[in-house]
């Protein structure tokens, strides 16, 4: 989303001033985003209450929801164009927000229309909270796995240096040396010997 990208660009500029000639390259498909979102639910007495909840999602989910800050209603086609994703991908990811009761989906003629949920619409539009058999949880796990793999690659140069200078080393020695040498750098080594063995 443009607002998020502008903050990232601003951070990049400041980083480049401080760490010249280093530059940041964002891996935008990796990682997770923690968001506070407002959702609605109906209590036992039938009263509608709003509450703020923490949600962990992928950057793609966060990007789609951020578009609702610009306007409160989007068609599937508009979101697809704005986020530069296929309609099928948008439909699956928006299903996550529909089931979180943050956004509602309604079919208007041929179009699927997404809008932010308001208290007055919770009861009347209960049908809009649809089931979706999306792979969001699996995708989140894959994203976390890819993030961890990317993190482990940071230690690769340390390991290559050790093996070049000291020759063959047992796993426990490599693990101990990484804990010693990497702790003072930008990255902290907090892996287990088993995680290191899988990486090697």
């Amino acid at each position: 989303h443009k607002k998020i990208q502008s903050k990232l660009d601003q951070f990049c500029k400041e980083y480049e001033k401080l760490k010249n000639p280093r530059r940041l390259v964002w891996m935008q498909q990796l990682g997770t985003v923690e968001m506070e979102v407002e959702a609605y639910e109906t209590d036992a007495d039938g009263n509608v209450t709003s509450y703020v909840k923490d949600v962990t999602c992928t950057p793609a989910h966060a990007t789609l929801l951020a578009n609702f800050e610009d306007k409160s209603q989007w068609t599937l086609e508009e979101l697809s164009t704005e986020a530069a994703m296929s309609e099928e991908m948008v439909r699956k990811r928006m299903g996550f927000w529909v089931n979180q009761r943050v956004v509602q989906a309604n079919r208007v003629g041929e179009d699927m229309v997404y809008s932010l949920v308001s208290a007055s619409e919770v009861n009347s539009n209960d049908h809009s909270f649809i089931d979706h058999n999306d792979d969001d949880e699996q995708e989140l796990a894959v994203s976390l796995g890819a993030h961890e793999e990317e993190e482990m690659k940071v230690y690769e140069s340390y390991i290559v240096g050790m093996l070049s200078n000291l020759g063959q080393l047992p796993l426990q020695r490599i693990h101990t040396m990484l804990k010693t040498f990497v702790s003072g750098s930008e990255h902290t080594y907090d892996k287990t010997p088993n995680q290191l063995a899988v990486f090697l």
Side-chain angles (χ1 to χ4, degrees):
H1 189 265
K2 292 169 190 170
K3 285 183 182 175
I4 299 170
Q5 188 60 51
S6 66
K7 299 288 185 189
L8 293 176
D9 292 342
Q10 186 181 347
F11 185 86
C12 278
K13 285 177 185 172
E14 295 301 321
Y15 181 87
E16 285 171 22
K17 286 178 191 173
L18 292 171
K19 301 282 187 175
N20 191 31
R22 295 181 184 176
R23 294 185 178 187
L24 293 175
V25 177
W26 299 107
M27 308 293 283
Q28 295 180 347
Q29 73 279 14
L30 297 178
T32 57
V33 180
E34 291 181 10
M35 303 178 74
E36 282 188 355
V37 296
E38 186 177 18
Y40 293 89
E41 67 179 0
T42 308
D43 62 20
D45 299 327
N47 299 318
V48 176
T49 56
S50 73
Y51 62 101
V52 174
K53 64 178 177 177
D54 295 322
V55 176
T56 301
C57 62
T58 66
H61 288 95
T63 298
L64 287 171
L65 191 62
N67 286 309
F68 287 86
E69 290 184 355
D70 302 330
K71 62 178 188 175
S72 60
Q73 190 169 310
W74 292 82
T75 66
L76 178 60
E77 187 179 352
E78 287 171 340
L79 273 177
S80 174
T81 304
E82 186 70 20
M85 297 180 195
S86 70
E87 289 190 10
E88 180 63 18
M89 202 177 277
V90 171
R91 186 191 63 75
K92 285 184 175 182
R93 282 164 177 72
M94 287 307 294
F96 173 80
W97 293 119
V98 170
N99 283 349
Q100 293 288 331
R101 294 185 176 259
V102 175
V103 172
Q104 63 180 350
N106 290 300
R107 191 165 288 284
V108 179
E110 295 288 311
D111 295 327
M112 180 64 79
V113 178
Y114 297 100
S115 56
L116 291 175
V117 174
S118 66
S120 61
E121 295 167 326
V122 172
N123 289 329
S124 60
N125 286 309
D126 239 16
H127 64 277
S128 69
F129 299 108
I130 52 175
D131 284 334
H132 72 297
N133 50 5
D134 186 12
D135 300 327
D136 287 334
E137 289 77 13
Q138 185 180 352
E139 182 186 327
L140 191 59
V142 169
S143 177
L144 286 168
H147 181 67
E148 188 170 307
E149 189 177 321
E150 194 72 26
E151 201 177 55
M152 287 298 281
K153 285 187 179 177
V154 171
Y155 311 127
E156 190 173 349
S157 60
Y158 287 96
I159 295 167
V160 169
M162 280 182 229
L163 297 176
S164 299
N165 294 326
L166 303 172
Q168 190 174 355
L169 293 169
L171 178 69
Q172 191 58 46
R173 177 97 186 271
I174 295 172
H175 176 67
T176 305
M177 289 176 78
L178 281 173
K179 281 176 75 173
T180 304
F181 295 122
V182 183
S183 60
S185 70
E186 292 176 23
H187 302 278
T188 304
Y189 179 74
D190 57 357
K191 306 302 175 192
T192 65
N194 288 341
Q195 287 173 310
L196 179 60
V198 169
F199 174 67
L200 293 172

